[in-house]
Amino acid sequence: MKVSIIGGGGLVGSCAGFALQCGGVAREIAMLDVNADLAAGQALDIMHGAPSVADQIITSGSYEHIPSSDVVCITAGLRRKPDESRLDLINRNTDLFNQILQQVKAAGLKPTAKVLVVSNPVDILTYLAAKSLGLPESQVLGLGTQLDTIRFCSLISEHLNAPPTQTRALILGEHGDSMVPVWSSATVGGLPLEKYPGWNTNIANQLFTRTKGSGAEVIGKKGGAGFAVGIAIRDVIEAILLDSHKVLPVSSIQTGAYGIRDVALSVPTVVGRDGVVNRIELELWPKEMQGLRNSGAALRPTLDTVLKRVGLA
């Protein structure tokens, strides 16, 4: 199975390529970028590690790889500034992203191809991709709050000195300011969070606040996020390639889950070979349910503006 990463020369794209190499699931990883030398350099660097990792084909190039790709991952875009929200990126990123979509469409996608949108604001651009590419909407996903979710779990586990791999908690809704922490189903080692030794509800808001600001924190300290987002991308792509039916908080156009329609945001989603296989409506606390619906409402004005901008309104 072949994965092509558009923006593979950049920080996020290259980290995604490396994470996929370490996972060893994709047969071929193609690093695509407008800067051909940079993409070729990233591919070469990844390929050099192959003898110690996995038997894979690592290539680079441009849109000529699209017709043979099983998954196309779009990471290209302008970086967010430390004091800039993801929605603020929309005016700067929409035209670039729409141009990429038109080139992908012109190159010719497989009818069974899946597209994973990572570029921000991811929920807005996921909707745009799903409406523009001519694929079934279930085959277009956004990374959504998968990254926020693993950041959330890492901070909870750090605070409790608990194993990160046994810490389970979700962030749903927008990958942005209106994201919703789902404390109602959070567990560590199978225990409800409030039952785990050392948990104190007074720190809940602090942990969520830091989670929400984690992207800006990383940008401020090192210029941009890469490693964790690469792992989050691998989580989604491997669920597709392995048809694992893994439940992940990824973004897609909603068709009624939690009463939300015609906006892309993250809900618990069964991810497999067909992309979005199903959506699961976990029982939420009333304030979590309201927060999720508010998140959809918060995205709507910007989405309407973008659709008019690209002529899809």
Side-chain angles (χ1 to χ4, degrees):
M1 302 288 274
K2 179 175 179 176
V3 177
S4 286
I5 302 173
I6 298 175
L11 176 61
V12 170
S14 59
C15 286
F18 180 61
L20 286 167
Q21 179 190 42
C22 292
V25 172
R27 171 60 178 154
E28 181 174 352
I29 303 167
M31 310 296 280
L32 318 184
D33 203 282
V34 66
N35 186 331
D37 284 344
L38 185 57
Q42 300 286 21
L44 184 62
D45 197 12
I46 292 171
M47 186 191 75
H48 286 161
S52 295
V53 183
D55 296 319
Q56 294 170 311
I57 299 166
I58 311 295
T59 57
S60 68
S62 190
Y63 292 94
E64 72 273 8
H65 286 278
I66 298 299
S68 57
S69 298
D70 298 289
V71 177
V72 176
C73 177
I74 306 176
T75 68
L78 302 169
R79 278 191 194 170
R80 186 163 60 104
K81 299 173 184 176
D83 59 348
E84 184 178 38
S85 77
R86 293 173 181 90
L87 288 180
D88 287 337
L89 276 180
I90 196 61
N91 289 330
R92 300 200 296 130
N93 257 353
T94 298
D95 292 341
L96 171 62
F97 188 78
N98 195 45
Q99 183 180 36
I100 290 169
L101 293 180
Q102 298 313 310
Q103 290 175 300
V104 167
K105 192 173 181 179
L109 286 158
K110 285 184 178 182
T112 57
K114 265 61 68 180
V115 174
L116 176 63
V117 178
V118 179
S119 309
N120 277 318
V122 67
D123 301 295
I124 302 295
L125 299 183
T126 297
Y127 189 103
L128 179 57
K131 294 296 184 181
S132 300
L133 290 175
L135 294 172
E137 290 181 2
S138 61
Q139 291 173 213
V140 180
L141 306 84
L143 187 63
T145 57
Q146 172 62 13
L147 174 58
D148 305 297
T149 290
I150 62 175
R151 284 171 168 165
F152 193 39
C153 292
S154 74
L155 294 176
I156 292 170
S157 67
E158 179 189 44
H159 177 79
L160 295 176
N161 195 27
T165 58
Q166 293 186 44
T167 303
R168 298 284 181 266
L170 287 168
I171 300 283
L172 300 179
E174 177 200 357
H175 175 57
D177 293 340
S178 69
M179 66 177 69
V180 180
V182 181
W183 295 107
S184 57
S185 60
T187 63
V188 176
L191 294 173
L193 196 55
E194 66 270 16
K195 302 290 186 183
Y196 196 82
W199 178 250
N200 183 337
T201 55
N202 291 332
I203 58 92
N205 288 337
Q206 296 174 32
L207 290 174
F208 173 58
T209 298
R210 190 175 178 202
T211 299
K212 199 156 106 169
S214 286
E217 183 179 356
V218 174
I219 290 168
K221 291 181 184 299
K222 58 170 277 188
F227 299 130
V229 67
I231 293 297
I233 291 167
R234 190 186 83 178
D235 288 339
V236 180
I237 291 178
E238 290 192 352
I240 294 169
L241 298 183
L242 293 172
D243 194 28
S244 61
H245 285 215
K246 195 169 184 178
V247 179
L248 298 170
V250 294
S251 185
S252 64
I253 295 182
Q254 299 305 312
T255 58
Y258 297 105
I260 300 169
R261 295 181 181 275
D262 200 35
V263 65
L265 50 65
S266 294
V267 301
T269 304
V270 180
V271 180
R273 185 179 293 117
D274 295 327
V276 174
V277 177
N278 199 1
R279 296 176 182 89
I280 297 175
E281 294 190 54
L282 300 175
E283 185 175 349
L284 301 178
W285 289 339
K287 65 180 180 180
E288 294 168 346
M289 177 73 80
Q290 189 58 52
L292 186 55
R293 290 174 177 168
N294 289 346
S295 194
L299 286 162
R300 189 78 242 173
T302 302
L303 179 58
D304 289 341
T305 299
V306 168
L307 294 179
K308 287 178 183 177
R309 185 182 181 93
V310 299
L312 288 175

